[in-house]
């Protein structure tokens, strides 16, 4: 994937409406590529929970033609809870390859990561931007590749106005509403100054929460985070220099570190 393609995915992850994007040694342990079944091997284990694709809230819809793509918060939370409850799992690697997405979905995943009592190491892939960084922030440690694109800390909301186009073709829209702001963000007219101000308040409130989450997760002053949180994109190496990432390394390095934090020895891993 080229840098331009990754930036395109990051823009999509931002959203069109409202988004962000070994103390003792056991016999062996297995890296679990996925959860949801009882296929974890016996023995101390590091579980891999994946956040891949655009982050969406809730559970995927029933689709007879296959599983919809995206990182659904309900699925990710279930996997994290299973890892938390499984006595064989001693640590978790949260593999994040996401441009971001839903604010609600990102926060639901974040809350579950925050609630984990077992060590969690975030491992960033190609992208861990906006909501992808949001869910990584509470991890005990964050690993990124030097070429990972991350950051993009901020909130964006965009509205399309096709009123001029409809007028050009002689199409009229009649709106009947119960209150002044009921059709805020309508496709058929420009947004008023009052409506923009109301929406800006929501954006700023969500942004402030995002900044606090990063500050708390990384142990950084809020004012320092604000200097970084202007929507800028950082490489993994830049992110480490700025304190947003702990180490440069791939998923294998993150697994090794999770094993250390979970007080288990890496003697065997299954394919991930």
């Amino acid at each position: 994937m080229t840098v331009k393609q990754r930036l395109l995915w990051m823009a999509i992850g931002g959203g069109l409406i409202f988004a962000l994007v070994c103390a003792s040694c056991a016999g062996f342990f297995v890296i679990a590529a996925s959860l949801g079944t009882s296929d974890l091997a016996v023995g101390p284990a590091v579980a891999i929970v994946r956040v891949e694709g655009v982050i969406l809230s809730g559970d995927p819809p029933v689709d007879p033609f296959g599983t919809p793509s995206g990182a659904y918060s309900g699925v990710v939370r279930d996997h994290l809870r299973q890892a938390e409850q499984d006595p064989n799992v001693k640590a978790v690697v949260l593999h994040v390859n996401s441009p971001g997405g839903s604010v609600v979905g990102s926060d639901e995943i974040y809350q579950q990561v925050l609630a984990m009592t077992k060590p969690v190491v975030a491992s960033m892939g190609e992208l861990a931007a906006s909501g992808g960084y949001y869910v990584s922030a509470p991890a005990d440690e964050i690993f990124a590749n030097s070429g990972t694109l991350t950051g993009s800390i901020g909130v964006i909301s965009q509205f399309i106005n096709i009123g001029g186009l409809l007028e050009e073709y002689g199409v009229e829209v009649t709106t009947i509403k119960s209150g002044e702001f009921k059709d805020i963000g309508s496709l058929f007219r420009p947004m008023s100054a009052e409506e923009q101000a109301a929406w800006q308040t929501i954006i700023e409130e969500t942004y402030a929460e995002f900044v606090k989450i990063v500050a708390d997760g990384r142990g950084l002053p809020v004012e320092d985070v604000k200097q970084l949180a202007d929507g800028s994109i950082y490489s993994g190496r830049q992110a480490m220099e700025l304190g947003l990432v702990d180490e440069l390394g791939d998923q294998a390095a993150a697994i090794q570190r999770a094993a250390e934090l979970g007080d288990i020895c890496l003697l065997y891993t299954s394919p991930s």
Side-chain angles (χ1 to χ4, degrees):
M1 182 181 290
T2 67
V3 171
K4 286 185 177 180
Q5 288 172 319
R6 286 190 283 176
L7 290 175
L8 176 59
W9 273 107
M10 190 175 297
I12 294 172
L16 293 178
I17 299 300
F18 187 41
L20 306 179
V21 21
C22 198
S24 60
C25 189
F28 69 87
F29 74 93
V30 172
I31 305 304
S34 63
L35 297 168
T37 63
S38 58
D39 59 358
L40 291 180
V42 175
V46 172
I48 300 177
V49 176
R50 302 185 182 279
V51 181
E52 296 183 320
V54 176
I55 297 173
L56 303 165
S57 63
D59 296 309
V62 176
D63 187 343
F65 301 103
T67 302
S69 61
Y72 285 85
S73 61
V75 174
V76 177
R77 287 192 302 170
D78 285 346
H79 288 175
L80 287 169
R81 288 167 180 162
Q82 289 174 44
E84 177 74 11
Q85 295 167 5
D86 193 308
N88 290 320
V89 172
K90 305 303 180 184
V92 176
V93 167
L94 187 73
H95 180 74
V96 182
N97 193 9
S98 172
S102 162
V103 171
V104 172
S106 298
D107 192 64
E108 288 176 341
I109 295 172
Y110 160 81
Q111 294 293 344
Q112 185 57 46
V113 175
L114 192 65
M116 299 290 285
T117 62
K118 298 176 180 180
V120 178
V121 176
S123 174
M124 295 179 170
E126 290 273 350
L127 275 174
S130 196
Y133 190 83
Y134 192 115
V135 302
S136 303
D140 294 284
E141 294 186 16
I142 300 176
F143 278 62
N145 288 275
S146 59
T148 295
L149 292 182
T150 188
S152 189
I153 299 169
V155 187
I156 185 172
S157 183
Q158 295 176 318
F159 299 90
I160 298 172
N161 174 20
I162 63 172
L165 179 63
L166 295 180
E167 183 178 352
E168 182 178 344
Y169 285 91
V171 178
E172 296 183 358
V173 176
T174 299
T175 301
I176 301 172
K177 55 186 179 179
S178 59
E180 179 182 358
F181 297 106
K182 186 56 182 175
D183 66 337
I184 188 171
S186 170
L187 287 170
F188 309 122
R189 63 173 179 80
M191 188 178 287
S192 70
E194 292 78 11
E195 290 170 330
Q196 290 187 42
W199 199 255
Q200 185 65 42
T201 299
I202 295 173
I203 293 295
E204 290 175 357
E205 179 182 303
T206 308
Y207 169 75
E209 183 63 23
F210 197 166
V211 168
K212 184 178 184 301
I213 282 169
V214 175
D216 291 346
R218 302 304 302 161
L220 296 171
V222 168
E223 291 305 316
D224 288 358
V225 174
K226 285 183 178 179
Q227 296 298 314
L228 307 174
D230 59 358
S232 293
I233 302 158
Y234 305 109
S235 69
R237 190 175 300 280
Q238 290 172 332
M240 187 177 72
E241 293 171 353
L242 294 170
L244 297 176
V245 165
D246 293 293
E247 297 286 346
L248 294 181
D250 58 12
Q251 182 173 277
I255 291 169
Q256 178 66 63
R257 180 56 180 155
E260 293 171 358
L261 293 175
D263 291 332
I264 51 180
C265 290
L266 183 62
L267 300 180
Y268 169 79
T269 64
S270 67
S272 59

